[in-house]
């Protein structure tokens, strides 16, 4: 039978060898060194063709530069107050203010039997006109937060559908001017319209 060995013989490497973690660390460092040399090499072999290096002082020919610069096609500008000109008239701000002052200065006579010619005129505010119904509804909701009531009117214009956000009708130019100022106070531009 074999003799029993002591506890000291169980260790094979003892303190004479290099620990495993040190060997792993040396292997990683060697791999990184090889990768760095491979990436930093300039012209070692023909594996990768060299990229062309542009001349920083080179200028394009003058004729080629002129040919490339072409004017952009002119886009049609659509102003929402150009819609239905024959039935609706935009009231400029100065005229609206003057008309509102004239109405407040001379109130209509009480009990007048015949309505004036201006009674057939409707005063409206148009806050916007959009190709998208969603954009019109968004503006209508924004106006509702100011306390005013708006509506979206759809119309067929120039072969496409247009959605207009309108307020009114207002009884006179003074009421129209007050509503326009209230919208402007909330950052909403609107135009005054006189519709027949």
């Amino acid at each position: 039978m074999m003799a029993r060995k002591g506890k000291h013989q169980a260790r094979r490497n003892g303190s004479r060898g290099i620990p495993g973690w040190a060997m792993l660390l040396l292997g990683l460092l060697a791999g990184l060194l090889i990768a760095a040399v491979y990436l930093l090499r300039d012209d070692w072999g023909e594996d990768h063709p060299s990229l062309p290096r542009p001349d920083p002082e080179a200028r394009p020919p003058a004729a080629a530069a002129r040919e490339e610069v072409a004017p952009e096609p002119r886009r049609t500008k659509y102003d929402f107050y150009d819609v239905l000109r024959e039935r609706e008239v935009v009231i400029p701000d100065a005229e609206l203010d003057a008309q509102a002052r004239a109405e407040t200065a001379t109130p209509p006579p009480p009990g007048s039997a015949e309505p004036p010619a201006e009674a057939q005129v409707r005063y409206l505010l148009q806050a916007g006109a959009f190709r998208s119904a969603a954009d019109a509804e968004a503006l209508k909701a924004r106006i509702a937060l100011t306390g005013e009531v708006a509506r979206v009117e759809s119309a067929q214009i120039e072969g496409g559908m247009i959605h207009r956000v309108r307020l009114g009708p207002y009884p006179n130019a003074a009421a129209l001017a007050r509503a326009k100022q209230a919208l402007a106070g909330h950052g909403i531009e609107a135009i005054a319209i006189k519709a027949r």
Side-chain angles (χ1 to χ4, degrees):
M1 203 156 153
M2 293 172 73
R4 205 165 187 199
K5 298 185 178 187
K7 292 182 180 180
H8 296 291
Q9 290 181 351
R11 288 189 213 155
R12 293 186 181 217
N13 290 337
S15 60
R16 289 178 279 152
I18 300 175
W21 62 269
M23 291 295 281
L24 178 66
L25 185 62
L26 286 173
L28 285 173
L29 289 175
L32 287 174
L33 180 66
I34 292 170
V37 168
Y38 180 74
L39 290 175
L40 295 177
R41 70 179 185 162
D42 251 355
D43 293 321
W44 293 1
E46 297 295 325
D47 292 343
H48 301 287
S50 63
L51 297 174
R53 297 183 184 185
D55 183 13
E57 296 176 14
R59 303 276 182 230
R66 276 185 260 141
E67 290 175 7
E68 290 178 14
V69 179
E72 292 184 20
R74 187 175 174 195
R75 293 185 67 189
T76 305
K77 183 178 178 187
Y78 179 76
D79 292 330
F80 60 87
Y81 50 83
D82 287 341
V83 178
L84 301 175
R85 267 185 206 193
E86 64 275 357
R87 290 182 33 210
E88 300 172 351
V89 178
V90 175
I91 306 171
D93 288 341
E95 183 181 327
L96 178 64
D97 291 340
Q99 195 171 358
R101 273 187 263 118
E103 286 177 358
T104 55
T106 59
S112 60
E114 188 176 316
E118 286 291 315
Q120 298 170 351
V121 174
R122 294 182 340 152
Y123 292 102
L124 305 170
L125 277 177
Q126 183 164 317
F130 304 94
R131 296 273 181 205
S132 166
D135 292 341
E137 289 295 330
L139 181 60
K140 177 184 169 186
R142 188 172 158 214
I143 291 171
L145 293 174
T146 68
E148 297 289 328
V149 178
R151 66 186 177 285
V152 176
E153 295 178 356
S154 299
Q156 190 74 23
I157 307 293
E158 297 176 10
M161 186 64 73
I162 193 84
H163 306 279
R164 300 177 290 187
V165 180
R166 290 194 162 179
L167 293 86
Y170 296 97
N172 53 33
L176 178 71
R178 281 192 302 273
K180 184 175 180 182
Q181 287 175 347
L183 287 179
H186 288 92
I188 300 172
E189 281 283 327
I191 60 168
I193 297 175
K194 190 187 301 185
R196 291 183 176 84

